[in-house]
Amino acid sequence: MWRSPEPRFDVASAICQGGRDYQEDAIVTDFPAGTDIGVVVLADGMGGHAAGDVASKIVVTEVFSELKFESANFQEYEGEVPNYLTSAASNANACVRDYVVDNPKTRGMGATLVSLVMVENRMYWMSIGDSPLYHLRSGKLRQLNEDHSMAPQIDAMVKSGLIDPETGKNHPDRNCLTSVILGDRVSRSDCPKTPFTLDVGDIVVVSSDGLQYLDEARIEKILQKYRRRKSAEIAEHLLAAINELADPDQDNVSFAVIKLNHNKPVTQATRRKPIDLVGDASAGSTRVVSLDGNGYGDAENATDADAATEAEERPEPFRLVAGGK
């Protein structure tokens, strides 16, 4: 029995529209209490492109559904988690392609992706695009995943003295993506085979690039100041800091805050039922019974002839129609 005073993971998510006309971010978190696994999937629709909100929803829906389906295998086949992440991203890319083929007006839509799987204190991720994955430990913040945009190249130019810091910060190409899910070939992805190990008290933030309207020093200060508070409270302080900027060009913001409360041994295991296992009809199993004919119980006593006659006389099942009853 799970006896910890609090769950292994303390998780909260947040989303806001910022100064944009539409919300093109999508995020889902799943950390069932009583288990030692968790999933976060975040996608940032390509701002200014056709149907970016649709792209982000497709990516989040497809990636999460596949990871959820495989989640019963995460502990027993932990070494396969990077393959699950890669497969889910590939299938999401295919779904975007199929949608664009069926809806040509949406050509050019796309989305970034950060998908994260936690197994106890071990973290795996897949990322495509510029949505950052932050980690805070001992007061120091760093980005764990690669940035698939022009920002790293521009920062390198600033560091080498080719351009001044102010020009680099406001460079018009800074947010140009070098890799994204478009339904086409994905040029770059980040999916380490070796997990990142978290210590108790570590804070992880999975976010869209809208959070980067706050500089890293500000994000680090907020996380460090409120590190002993609940994740939901930390999320509120990050949102408040975004609102304080009052930037009319503020991008959509979505993020999840994850804290590791403890690192005790696994107390419960989740196992998938083998697909070739045939269940019995015991009283404890879920069954379907028929209430047609003379009532409950008749199906067990009916003869083959009765069943044939009943099948001939039984009306066709009704069909659900949108707007119908």
Side-chain angles (χ1 to χ4, degrees), residues 118-263:
M118 295 291 306
V119 182
E120 298 178 46
N121 67 327
R122 298 175 297 282
M123 181 170 68
Y124 300 83
W125 74 82
M126 152 70 77
S127 67
I128 299 170
D130 63 347
S131 295
L133 172 63
Y134 290 120
H135 171 250
L136 181 85
R137 177 180 292 169
S138 301
K140 300 298 181 181
L141 182 75
R142 67 177 179 128
Q143 183 172 336
L144 297 180
N145 62 336
E146 298 174 0
D147 184 344
H148 300 150
S149 74
M150 290 299 296
Q153 287 86 338
I154 294 172
D155 289 342
M157 293 170 67
V158 172
K159 189 174 182 179
S160 64
L162 294 175
I163 58 176
D164 62 84
E166 189 64 23
T167 300
K169 182 179 180 180
N170 300 303
H171 199 287
D173 294 335
R174 186 172 187 85
N175 294 323
C176 290
L177 296 174
T178 58
S179 187
V180 69
I181 293 179
L182 282 168
D184 202 345
R185 187 179 70 88
V186 176
S187 58
R188 299 175 64 194
S189 62
D190 183 13
C191 186
K193 299 296 183 183
T194 304
F196 183 87
T197 302
L198 297 179
D199 292 340
V200 174
D202 283 2
I203 299 176
V204 172
V205 178
V206 186
S207 75
S208 63
D209 66 336
L211 186 62
Q212 293 177 320
Y213 277 63
L214 298 173
D215 58 41
E216 287 195 2
R218 178 66 172 146
I219 297 173
E220 179 183 273
K221 183 177 181 180
I222 293 171
L223 297 181
Q224 176 65 10
K225 182 177 181 179
Y226 300 104
R227 66 189 184 281
R228 300 187 188 282
R229 306 290 181 86
K230 295 292 186 182
S231 288
E233 201 169 339
I234 296 173
E236 289 288 351
H237 285 292
L238 287 172
L239 284 179
I242 287 287
N243 291 330
E244 287 172 8
L245 293 177
D247 189 332
D249 296 322
Q250 174 66 52
D251 196 1
N252 300 151
V253 184
S254 60
F255 59 88
V257 179
I258 307 165
K259 290 179 63 181
L260 184 68
N261 285 329
H262 68 80
N263 194 24

Side-chain angles (χ1 to χ4, degrees), residues 51-74:
D53 60 323
V54 175
S56 65
K57 291 182 178 70
I58 290 174
V59 170
V60 164
T61 300
E62 294 301 323
V63 172
F64 175 71
S65 62
E66 185 161 341
L67 293 178
K68 185 64 176 179
F69 183 80
E70 298 290 356
S71 61
N73 289 329
F74 287 167

